[in-house]
Amino acid sequence: MSPVLYGNSTILFGTGGETVSGGLYSISIDNIIKQNNQYLTIFKSFEKGVMVPPIVLDVDHDGIDDILVSCFDGTLELINGRTMKPIWTRIFPRFEFYATPAPGDFNSDSFVDFMLILNYGEWDRYDYSETLVIDGLTGETLWKKNSTFGEFTSPLTLQMTKHGEYQDSFIYRQRGETAEKFYSNTTTSSILFHGIGLQDGEIH
């Protein structure tokens, strides 16, 4: 993965690969300049690596950016930026991450959520893919949809406003289906989150 700047003086970097163990680490820019091998282990996997950049943003509104780590072994973990301890961990057995999750407030609770795309199987043979939207505060699944194809593209989200307030949306791929579908959760009087399913070739 490409290194990511965290704050003003720290670099996040990942190691490992499809079949090589690895993790996510942080090192200060000062230690890099001085060539000091002093780093902090944020996340470690003994099976596969961290191949996609983490998401860095303030999920819990405490004023400090948190870190969302997606490991190739199907582990998703939100790290508290203040304590560097996990806020929550999700494990998706036999799934693998090829794309960085996309943030957005999809349930209108003013806290950021995440859209994920995972592939079921093991590199380089996948049976199907799964697109999910999960709650940023709890890690619980808000919505999911399976596809009979593997997916390797990054999730796509849109930031919009309704009556002056943010109402984010997500776009997902629905290959093999005959019509565009619109998904919404209307358990209350307002739409909590929604997605738009598009066939290949519908956007030029």
Side-chain angles (χ1 to χ4, degrees), residues 1 4 6 9 11 18 25 27 33 56 60 67 73 76-77 82 90 93 106 130-131 148 152 154 158 183 193 203:
M1 59 162 270
V4 174
Y6 180 70
S9 59
I11 299 294
E18 287 93 341
Y25 307 89
I27 187 170
I33 294 172
V56 175
D60 55 8
I67 304 169
D73 67 4
L76 186 73
E77 191 162 270
R82 185 182 298 275
R90 287 287 305 270
F106 303 122
E130 191 166 84
T131 302
T148 56
F152 303 95
S154 297
L158 305 173
Y183 176 81
F193 61 92
I203 297 180

Side-chain angles (χ1 to χ4, degrees), residues 97-131:
F97 276 102
Y98 263 106
T100 299
D105 181 9
F106 303 122
N107 60 356
S108 301
D109 64 353
S110 80
F111 293 96
V112 70
D113 308 303
F114 299 101
M115 178 185 181
L116 323 173
I117 297 177
L118 305 100
N119 287 295
Y120 183 82
E122 285 190 316
W123 180 84
D124 56 349
R125 297 288 186 270
Y126 297 109
D127 298 326
Y128 63 91
S129 64
E130 191 166 84
T131 302

Side-chain angles (χ1 to χ4, degrees), residues 158-169 194:
L158 305 173
Q159 187 175 75
M160 303 182 294
T161 58
K162 180 180 181 181
H163 305 306
E165 297 182 355
Y166 286 117
Q167 180 174 295
D168 298 338
S169 301
H194 64 270

Side-chain angles (χ1 to χ4, degrees), residues 44-138:
K44 178 68 176 177
S45 171
F46 295 98
E47 296 182 358
K48 300 172 185 178
V50 175
M51 299 169 54
V52 298
I55 295 291
V56 175
L57 45 72
D58 184 7
V59 175
D60 55 8
H61 295 183
D62 67 352
I64 298 178
D65 283 341
D66 305 303
I67 304 169
L68 183 72
V69 186
S70 48
C71 183
F72 195 69
D73 67 4
T75 302
L76 186 73
E77 191 162 270
L78 181 64
I79 305 295
N80 186 294
R82 185 182 298 275
T83 65
M84 287 298 163
K85 302 294 183 182
I87 296 176
W88 50 257
T89 303
R90 287 287 305 270
I91 298 175
F92 300 91
R94 293 210 64 197
F95 281 93
E96 294 181 339
F97 276 102
Y98 263 106
T100 299
D105 181 9
F106 303 122
N107 60 356
S108 301
D109 64 353
S110 80
F111 293 96
V112 70
D113 308 303
F114 299 101
M115 178 185 181
L116 323 173
I117 297 177
L118 305 100
N119 287 295
Y120 183 82
E122 285 190 316
W123 180 84
D124 56 349
R125 297 288 186 270
Y126 297 109
D127 298 326
Y128 63 91
S129 64
E130 191 166 84
T131 302
L132 301 92
V133 173
I134 65 170
D135 188 288
L137 284 180
T138 66

Side-chain angles (χ1 to χ4, degrees), residues 130-133 141-146 183:
E130 191 166 84
T131 302
L132 301 92
V133 173
T141 299
L142 299 175
W143 174 86
K144 68 178 180 179
K145 181 179 179 64
N146 289 347
Y183 176 81

